[in-house]
């Protein structure tokens, strides 16, 4: 049972525009949410996180929004750069375990 | 600072052969440690996690096993590899809220 879902397998965005990556979850007990960036044949790199008691966290070009009532998480990248092209995973934590979505492949077109 | 190592980086093994992948973490003590597998085109599947020496939790029934002989060492093993064991294996550690990944091992079973 997939508790964390990323329903868009791919996304293409023009350089300089906003990239919005979405994530939905089913378990209301998740207390921490994370976004990772992954290049092929490399381990995921931690990008940004948010506690379940907050609704927004910002770090440079990256902002994560959490809507607990909708059980929805999103990552905004502004402005998008070609180097942002990668697969993005969202994850949620419950206890000692982290649950990952299936990833969204972002392509930023120069 | 903390560093996580995995080896080997790539491995090609015949069906039925044994497997041993190693993961070590530097710069921390008593971390939670994790093994994930990413099959081609899929998300991250949690295989095992450990909260301490000798403590292993298994998430998915399979022909793989894990051991934690030392505080900062986590080993993934198999007595007889299957074709379906091919994939990208990732070790991760978690100090608290976040989780950080190693570089991964690409395993091809022929």
């Amino acid at each position: 049972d997939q508790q964390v879902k990323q329903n868009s397998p791919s996304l293409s965005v023009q350089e300089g525009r906003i990239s919005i990556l979405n994530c939905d979850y089913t378990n209301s007990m998740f207390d921490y949410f994370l976004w990772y960036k992954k290049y092929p044949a490399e381990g995921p790199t931690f990008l940004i996180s948010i506690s379940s008691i907050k609704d927004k966290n910002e770090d440079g070009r990256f902002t994560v929004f959490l809507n607990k009532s909708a059980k929805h998480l999103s990552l905004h990248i502004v402005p998008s750069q070609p180097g942002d092209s990668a697969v993005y995973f969202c994850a949620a934590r419950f206890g000692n375990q982290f649950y990952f979505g299936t990833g969204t492949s972002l392509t930023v077109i120069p | 600072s903390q560093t996580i190592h995995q080896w080997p980086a790539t491995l090609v093994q015949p069906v039925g052969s044994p497997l041993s992948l190693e993961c070590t973490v530097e710069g921390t003590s008593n971390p939670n440690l994790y093994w994930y597998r990413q099959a081609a085109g899929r998300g991250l599947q949690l295989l095992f996690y450990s909260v301490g020496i000798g403590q292993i939790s298994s998430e998915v029934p399979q022909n793989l096993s894990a051991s934690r002989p030392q505080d900062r060492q986590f080993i993934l093993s198999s007595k007889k590899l299957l074709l379906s064991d091919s994939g990208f294996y990732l070790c991760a550690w978690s100090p608290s809220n976040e989780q950080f990944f190693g570089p991964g091992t690409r395993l091809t079973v022929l």
Side-chain angles (χ1 to χ4, degrees):
Chain A
D1 181 30
Q2 192 75 21
Q3 298 190 52
V4 178
K5 297 180 182 179
Q6 293 176 258
N7 293 317
S8 298
S10 63
L11 175 69
S12 291
V13 173
Q14 286 290 134
E15 180 179 4
R17 307 293 286 269
I18 183 172
S19 295
I20 300 177
L21 298 125
N22 294 303
C23 181
D24 297 296
Y25 62 95
T26 58
N27 189 343
S28 59
M29 299 299 292
F30 289 141
D31 63 352
Y32 211 75
F33 301 88
L34 310 93
W35 282 95
Y36 290 84
K37 176 181 180 180
K38 186 181 182 302
Y39 294 116
E42 293 184 11
T45 301
F46 169 73
L47 274 178
I48 191 169
S49 60
I50 187 169
S51 166
S52 62
I53 62 173
K54 296 185 177 181
D55 55 19
K56 177 182 176 181
N57 187 28
E58 189 173 355
D59 183 2
R61 297 187 297 116
F62 301 92
T63 303
V64 56
F65 295 92
L66 176 62
N67 183 333
K68 287 188 69 177
S69 61
K71 294 189 176 66
H72 181 79
L73 187 70
S74 63
L75 175 68
H76 293 208
I77 306 174
V78 183
S80 300
Q81 300 173 354
D84 296 329
S85 296
V87 176
Y88 289 79
F89 289 96
C90 66
R93 187 190 72 171
F94 175 56
N96 289 317
Q97 295 191 50
F98 294 79
Y99 298 82
F100 284 80
T102 52
T104 296
S105 178
L106 173 66
T107 301
V108 179
I109 303 165
Chain B
S1 64
Q2 298 84 13
T3 308
I4 181 167
H5 302 278
Q6 281 186 249
W7 62 89
T10 61
L11 191 59
V12 180
Q13 292 283 96
V15 169
S17 64
L19 173 74
S20 180
L21 303 181
E22 189 165 342
C23 171
T24 59
V25 181
E26 295 178 358
T28 186
S29 60
N30 197 30
N32 287 347
L33 296 173
Y34 304 79
W35 277 112
Y36 290 88
R37 176 172 59 202
Q38 183 184 21
R42 304 285 296 277
L44 298 176
Q45 179 188 34
L46 177 63
L47 301 175
F48 301 94
Y49 71 95
S50 170
V51 299
I53 296 174
Q55 301 179 60
I56 309 294
S57 296
S58 173
E59 290 303 303
V60 181
Q62 59 216 329
N63 68 320
L64 299 172
S65 62
S67 62
R68 187 168 176 175
Q70 300 179 40
D71 180 43
R72 291 172 288 178
Q73 184 184 33
F74 204 21
I75 297 173
L76 182 69
S77 304
S78 174
K79 293 182 179 178
K80 288 186 177 182
L81 284 169
L82 307 173
L83 287 174
S84 58
D85 291 324
S86 292
F88 193 55
Y89 288 81
L90 289 156
C91 181
W93 75 285
S94 177
S96 57
N97 294 328
E98 286 86 19
Q99 190 174 59
F100 301 96
F101 287 83
T105 295
R106 169 70 61 192
L107 172 65
T108 303
V109 182
L110 301 175

